[in-house]
Amino acid sequence: MTKEKLKKTMDAIGWPRLIVFLFFAAIVLTAYFNGIDVASYFSSTLKYWGMWGILVLAMVPSIKCGIGPNFGVSLGIVCGLLGTLLAIEFNIAPRVNAAMPGAGPWMAMLFAIVVSIAVAWLVGIGYGKLLNMVKGSEMTVTTYVGYSVIYLMCIVWFRAPFSSGEIIWPLGGAGVRNPVSLESSFAYLLNDFLGFNLGPVYIPTGIILCVLLVCLVVHFYFRSKTGIAITAAGANPTFAKASGIDVDKMRIKGITLSTVLGAMGIVVYTQGFGYLQAYAAPLAMGFLCVASVLIGGATTTKATITHVIIGTFLYQGLVIFTPPVSNELLAGTDISDTMRQIIQNGVILYALAKAKGGSSNE
């Protein structure tokens, strides 16, 4: 293979993806040869892949429309948290179960998703208009917006007028406690649905199918007339405008879809944990989502569903496998969070460097 062909191959694969894949493979092999239960940790990787899948997918529309990685996906996340809290507040699952036994959790989750989508759609439109006003600085602004919204919502959650005993603080009588259990609504619903053991590995079929279904919907959306226009507006705004495409409108549609996916994603994520955390817990979620899609081979200007699927698996695999391996090799220490931070921030820095500081969309 010539140097030129090798360079093209490496550019296609991407250095972050290759390095992380090799590191992940080394971690798994180390775990196996040290007698660590690889099957159990692989099962956990599949579960967390499903829990994070839709959140990472939220990066695709924002990149395709030309805004870049959506560090401000926190806007969608707080919309999803609101929808989930309202499902608990209105006691959806027990009420439906009284009329249709067994259907309560599904209706509660459906209610949470529908409410989350509705709120996120409105928020996303406003968010898109804001980003249209700061073209060329989108990634910086989305980061500030993401942090600001989380801290603002900390105040809102603390004084929110909920009345359900499962939500409010036991002594204060108001505000959202931390965490809030989903046991009465839809905890572990997708994780357990149609799950089965493939040898020693547990396959969480429900959550995998959910992620793949949403990926399929997004795939076909971007093959539609509107989706193609969004992609064109992001890839070449000047040509798109000359072709009669309203670039600003397409950017708003792209970031709105990203916000909606963020709202749906956090609902799926919280059911997997069985509880939600409404305060500062989502603070770093945007960075993790960005890092995951970049590890999968995406750039600040190009992202596909394949990048989401591969990147989420690799990132979650590292997060799951690193602690037991580090504990085995370096007894009494845990470098897993350090490694996560190095990988997360490293791939983001690499992507920004490759983008040469970003480019204007005009």
Side-chain angles (χ1 to χ4, degrees), residues 43-357:
S43 299
S44 295
T45 300
L46 288 176
K47 181 184 80 171
Y48 280 92
W49 175 87
M51 289 168 58
W52 279 96
I54 298 176
L55 284 167
V56 179
L57 183 64
M59 297 299 107
V60 173
S62 65
I63 293 175
K64 279 185 174 290
C65 74
I67 287 172
N70 183 12
F71 288 96
V73 72
S74 305
L75 273 78
I77 289 174
V78 296
C79 294
L81 292 175
L82 176 62
T84 303
L85 288 170
L86 289 176
I88 300 172
E89 173 73 6
F90 296 143
N91 218 21
I92 301 296
R95 288 183 178 180
V96 174
N97 271 337
M100 296 181 290
W106 292 103
M107 291 305 297
M109 186 170 184
L110 179 61
F111 176 89
I113 289 175
V114 170
V115 171
S116 300
I117 289 174
V119 177
W121 190 266
L122 295 174
V123 171
I125 292 173
Y127 184 29
K129 290 181 177 180
L130 170 64
L131 294 180
N132 277 340
M133 297 169 61
V134 293
K135 290 179 182 177
S137 303
E138 292 93 340
M139 281 186 281
T140 302
V141 172
T142 56
T143 304
Y144 283 128
V145 168
Y147 274 92
S148 299
V149 165
I150 291 295
Y151 285 118
L152 173 63
M153 290 306 296
C154 284
I155 300 172
V156 173
W157 297 133
F158 190 71
R159 299 305 305 169
F162 290 105
S163 60
S164 171
E166 296 182 61
I167 297 177
I168 61 176
W169 292 100
L171 299 179
V176 178
R177 69 170 69 182
N178 196 32
V180 176
S181 174
L182 299 182
E183 287 292 342
S184 68
S185 49
F186 51 88
Y188 317 116
L189 185 62
L190 293 175
N191 290 43
D192 297 338
F193 181 64
L194 297 178
F196 66 95
N197 287 303
L198 185 61
V201 178
Y202 179 75
I203 309 296
T205 310
I207 199 166
I208 290 174
L209 290 176
C210 176
V211 173
L212 293 179
L213 177 61
V214 177
C215 285
L216 192 64
V217 171
V218 172
H219 170 74
F220 281 114
Y221 177 79
F222 278 103
R223 292 175 71 91
S224 69
K225 184 177 178 180
T226 301
I228 292 171
I230 291 174
T231 304
N236 194 328
T238 304
F239 178 78
K241 188 175 293 185
S243 301
I245 296 174
D246 188 334
V247 173
D248 285 353
K249 185 176 180 180
M250 293 304 109
R251 283 164 55 92
I252 291 174
K253 287 187 176 183
I255 202 64
T256 299
L257 178 56
S258 177
T259 307
V260 166
L261 289 172
M264 293 176 60
I266 197 63
V267 175
V268 173
Y269 177 88
T270 54
Q271 68 78 37
F273 265 124
Y275 61 88
L276 67 81
Q277 293 177 296
Y279 289 90
L283 201 58
M285 279 186 161
F287 286 89
L288 194 151
C289 292
V290 173
S292 295
V293 76
L294 294 177
I295 286 172
T299 67
T300 56
T301 57
K302 182 181 179 181
T304 67
I305 291 171
T306 302
H307 295 149
V308 171
I309 293 172
I310 295 174
T312 306
F313 181 83
L314 286 176
Y315 191 98
Q316 294 305 318
L318 284 173
V319 171
I320 298 298
F321 274 93
T322 302
V325 172
S326 65
N327 288 334
E328 182 70 26
L329 299 180
L330 303 169
T333 64
D334 184 358
I335 63 169
S336 56
D337 191 61
T338 301
M339 289 305 305
R340 181 185 67 81
Q341 291 287 350
I342 291 172
I343 293 168
Q344 171 182 300
N345 297 321
V347 295
I348 292 174
L349 181 61
Y350 174 85
L352 295 178
K354 289 285 285 184
K356 298 178 182 178

